[in-house]
Amino acid sequence: MHENFISLKEEKRDVIINAALMEFATKGYDLASTNEMVKAASISKGALFHYFASKKDLFLFLCDYVFGVVSREFYEQIGHCGGDLLTRYRRAAMLKGTVYQRYPPIFEFIKRLTTEKSAEIAAELKERLEKMMSYGYECLLGNLDISLFRQDVPSDKIRDLIIWALENYGHRSLELIGDQKVEDINVEALNADFDKYLDVLRKCFYKQ
């Protein structure tokens, strides 16, 4: 599937992907226009539909493409820093910033996916998001070194409290970022603020 598109030269393929990502990210699925995509990518509409059967087919391809990039350059790298949960979250934050700055359209596309309401792609999108979330948790939480945690509190409670705290922190950060473009986000300030919260969690839940 999509062999004709995959076999394109990387430069041409990336232009089409980025044009489509930004159109979906900016307008959402229902309002996204393939006319605008081909205009931005400088290709014909016939060429686009030679590669993809429909707008829905293109959208789902982009979901799989984005999840592939995020898995390869984000999730699969988290576990390389050992079993310390807070260190993994710290590495995740650093990797996320790097990936988003390297692939700005992906960041915008993922932000849109979290609020996408189109009924036409709801079932397929839900399945993909759940699969990606499950894989992400597997990478983040697999083989944890619970010996680092305080011994007077059950380790599963510590793990859950840390996850809840940092996931809510992540949601708050996304709200603060709002509609800012990737290049306008002060990543260093965000990371410095995140480190302060990690220090508090380490003092509360880790052996001292």
Side-chain angles (χ1 to χ4, degrees):
M1 185 177 289
H2 306 122
E3 290 85 359
N4 289 339
F5 182 70
I6 299 299
S7 64
L8 289 174
K9 290 184 178 179
E10 183 178 0
E11 183 178 355
K12 182 175 181 180
R13 190 173 66 236
D14 286 351
V15 168
I16 297 171
I17 287 174
N18 289 336
L21 285 173
M22 289 309 300
E23 180 68 11
F24 282 122
T26 302
K27 300 177 181 176
Y29 179 81
D30 289 332
L31 296 179
S33 167
T34 53
N35 289 330
E36 294 299 322
M37 294 177 198
V38 298
K39 181 179 178 181
S42 298
I43 62 171
S44 69
K45 197 166 184 178
L48 181 68
F49 287 113
H50 173 68
Y51 304 132
F52 302 99
S54 63
K55 184 170 84 167
K56 180 177 180 179
D57 183 41
L58 171 59
F59 178 83
L60 295 178
F61 170 85
L62 291 174
C63 287
D64 293 336
Y65 166 80
V66 165
F67 293 163
V69 172
V70 172
S71 295
R72 182 179 67 252
E73 302 200 24
F74 179 58
Y75 286 133
E76 293 175 10
Q77 306 303 317
I78 293 174
H80 292 178
C81 55
D84 184 337
L85 180 56
L86 291 181
T87 299
R88 287 185 182 180
Y89 266 106
R90 178 68 169 79
R91 179 167 175 76
M94 298 299 101
L95 287 168
K96 186 180 295 184
T98 300
V99 171
Y100 287 166
Q101 288 180 319
R102 184 176 177 185
Y103 304 98
I106 286 181
F107 175 72
E108 303 299 336
F109 185 75
I110 290 176
K111 280 202 301 181
R112 173 63 71 168
L113 290 185
T114 62
T115 59
E116 180 58 64
K117 303 297 183 184
S118 175
E120 185 176 345
I121 43 84
E124 293 90 343
L125 178 57
K126 181 175 183 290
E127 179 183 356
R128 283 165 168 78
L129 289 174
E130 288 178 348
K131 180 180 179 180
M132 195 63 183
M133 184 175 295
S134 176
Y135 181 64
Y137 276 126
E138 179 184 333
C139 294
L140 185 65
L141 304 178
N143 299 315
L144 288 180
D145 184 359
I146 62 174
S147 69
L148 299 172
F149 296 159
R150 289 173 49 170
Q151 299 301 298
D152 57 334
V153 180
S155 59
D156 60 329
K157 299 295 187 295
I158 292 177
R159 180 201 61 206
D160 290 347
L161 286 168
I162 290 174
I163 293 170
W164 295 338
L166 295 180
E167 285 191 348
N168 277 287
Y169 177 90
H171 294 321
R172 190 201 70 168
S173 296
L174 284 177
E175 290 176 357
L176 290 175
I177 291 171
D179 295 329
Q180 291 184 63
K181 296 180 179 179
V182 174
E183 57 268 25
D184 295 330
I185 298 173
N186 189 335
V187 176
E188 290 186 5
L190 287 176
N191 288 337
D193 184 63
F194 186 57
D195 283 341
K196 293 177 182 178
Y197 282 92
L198 292 180
D199 287 342
V200 171
L201 290 171
R202 190 173 293 278
K203 289 176 181 177
C204 289
F205 296 118
Y206 277 53
K207 293 177 181 176
Q208 300 301 308

